[in-house]
Amino acid sequence: MIIIKSPQEIELMRQAGKIVAATLKEIESAIKPGVTTGQLDKLAERCIRKFKAKPAFLGYHGFPASICASLNDEVVHGIPGLRCLKNGDIISIDVGVFYKGYCGDAAVTFPVGEVSSQARRLIDATKESLYAGINKAVPGNNLYDISNAIQNYAESLGFSVVRNYVGHGIGSDMHEEPQVPNFGLPGKGSLLEPGMVLAIEPMVNEGSWEVETLNDDWTVVTRDRSLSAHFEHTVAILQDGPEILTSF
Ligand code: MG
């Protein structure tokens, strides 16, 4: 069942979303060659707690950190640690928080220093595919109108969308119904209604869409080890259209 949120609940999710956005901004300003992913994690945790919020990923199914930090061919769920960012890397940072009983969830892929033009193209395509999807998050559309817009945009530029991981409804739980795939046929899936809140999150690969999980049981990488990018926003569907709750 898709839970419809009241205006009061959406206001709390707006506040949670602002904390996610502020945390991503702090991380963005700290990203440079030589910084470790573990340092970014500590910075994020301090920022989240400063707002009296809780890192939603810490301890989630045993995840050991406050953010996911996925480098280059890593798609999602990279564990922060001792690895240093290098010039030319791309790094996907996923942040989730709990605030006053509600969640916010967003992800951004950042370039580290100077990246290749292909890496830049992949980042831009993934971000734009997210906005193509968000534009379809209006009452009266079907869920897979969002999915289809994302897929069409990414594939029109020669990239592929990951099949095994998808977006999700979000509210008092981090993952609620429905699943929000980044591929699908327009006109299919649940009818979108005001009060639905979705975490829309395209994961776009430079090569094939196939992925596999490393031996740490968390880190998801592209099977062909091509680059991958990830952008996500928490989006409320309102009467007059989508509102991005994690905008920054
Ligand atoms: Mg998410």
Side-chain angles (χ1 to χ4, degrees), residues 139-237:
N141 272 359
N142 291 90
L143 181 65
Y144 294 171
D145 291 337
I146 298 172
S147 313
N148 183 257
I150 291 169
Q151 179 178 24
N152 274 349
Y153 191 89
E155 290 183 353
S156 74
L157 294 172
F159 298 122
S160 67
V161 292
V162 170
R163 306 291 199 270
N164 308 48
Y165 297 86
V166 297
H168 47 94
I170 181 169
S172 53
D173 280 319
M174 178 59 72
H175 297 105
E176 296 183 353
E177 286 183 44
Q179 294 200 342
V180 185
N182 298 304
F183 57 95
L185 294 175
K188 304 280 184 193
S190 305
L191 201 61
L192 300 179
E193 292 175 41
M196 291 179 176
V197 184
L198 305 176
I200 305 173
E201 51 175 323
M203 290 144 263
V204 177
N205 295 348
E206 181 187 15
S208 149
W209 56 266
E210 291 177 285
V211 299
E212 60 192 20
T213 306
L214 297 184
N215 287 336
D216 63 13
D217 285 336
W218 279 108
T219 312
V220 176
V221 297
T222 55
R223 186 164 285 171
D224 61 12
R225 299 302 189 269
S226 65
L227 293 175
S228 187
H230 181 205
F231 277 80
E232 174 180 29
H233 273 310
T234 298
V235 177
I237 299 173

